[in-house]
Amino acid sequence: MKVRATNLRHAYGDRITLNGVSFEIASGDRVALTGRNGAGKTTLLRIIALELKPDWGELEFEGDFRIGALEQDPSFETGVSVQTVIRQAMQHVFNLEQRLRELETELESNPEAVLEWSATLEAFEVAGGYSAEARAAQLTRKDWSPLNTIDSRLLSHGARLDRFAALGAGNGRE
């Protein structure tokens, strides 16, 4: 998958937040977006996530892709466990794994199922499926900051855990 932006521009009223932004991100690339407050980081991410349209410029996606995004200031229902939030964020990976199991039972009676099985396996691997459970466990370890500063079993309403962003696609290919 590839994301390409050419000459993106966005303004809120008279305030220009992005002007002439161009970049290309290839599958497997890891990117850090830094800048001062108000520089347009969130605006750019919202454009990439298709939540906001640029005033000018082009945004192109090549190949199969899945956009994963978390709110900058997420809030959770009272009493929701950290494990539940993590599993919800990774649900697409677990759904792929379940579909693989279903297709494996069909393979003997339906040889054509091998094509769907192969495509599903590739999507599972790209999404980091083989390490999904280990990543989920790592994110809930008691000695892992920031989870060690709160009750790691429950999230209070409005709890903010920036490290959930580490879930992403699992391997930077989402």
Side-chain angles (χ1 to χ4, degrees):
M1 185 242 163
K2 185 184 291 187
V3 179
R4 180 181 300 117
T6 307
N7 203 26
L8 295 180
R9 182 183 193 280
H10 191 273
Y12 293 100
D14 291 340
R15 186 170 185 280
I16 298 171
T17 54
L18 299 175
N19 193 17
V21 174
S22 297
F23 61 86
E24 187 172 297
I25 303 171
S27 180
D29 285 354
R30 297 202 180 251
V31 178
L33 184 60
T34 63
R36 62 176 170 68
N37 288 346
K41 300 178 301 289
T42 300
T43 300
L44 179 58
L45 292 175
R46 289 184 63 212
I47 289 171
I48 294 170
L50 305 176
E51 295 175 6
L52 187 64
K53 289 187 177 184
D55 297 331
W56 185 262
E58 293 183 30
L59 184 64
E60 301 173 71
F61 297 92
E62 294 178 7
D64 294 331
F65 66 93
R66 179 179 180 279
I67 296 173
L70 298 173
E71 292 295 319
Q72 187 169 356
D73 293 307
S75 62
F76 306 97
E77 293 180 29
T78 301
V80 174
S81 72
V82 172
Q83 290 81 4
T84 297
V85 172
I86 290 170
R87 290 195 70 79
Q88 287 171 348
M90 300 173 80
Q91 191 58 50
H92 69 284
V93 177
F94 300 129
N95 290 345
L96 289 168
E97 182 177 26
Q98 178 61 34
R99 184 62 184 143
L100 282 171
R101 288 183 183 146
E102 292 167 3
L103 288 167
E104 286 168 359
T105 63
E106 293 178 29
L107 287 175
E108 283 188 33
S109 61
N110 181 8
E112 293 179 12
V114 75
L115 295 175
E116 183 182 350
W117 180 86
S118 179
T120 304
L121 178 62
E122 182 178 356
F124 179 75
E125 289 173 343
V126 167
Y130 290 116
S131 61
E133 289 291 345
R135 285 192 334 268
Q138 179 185 23
L139 289 169
T140 57
R141 283 193 345 240
K142 276 298 235 182
D143 63 337
W144 186 73
S145 179
L147 296 182
N148 64 0
T149 62
I150 64 167
D151 181 343
S152 67
R153 291 169 292 149
L154 299 176
L155 296 171
S156 63
H157 182 73
R160 182 176 176 187
L161 298 174
D162 293 330
R163 281 303 279 253
F164 284 143
L167 293 173
N171 61 2
R173 294 184 181 185
E174 181 170 8

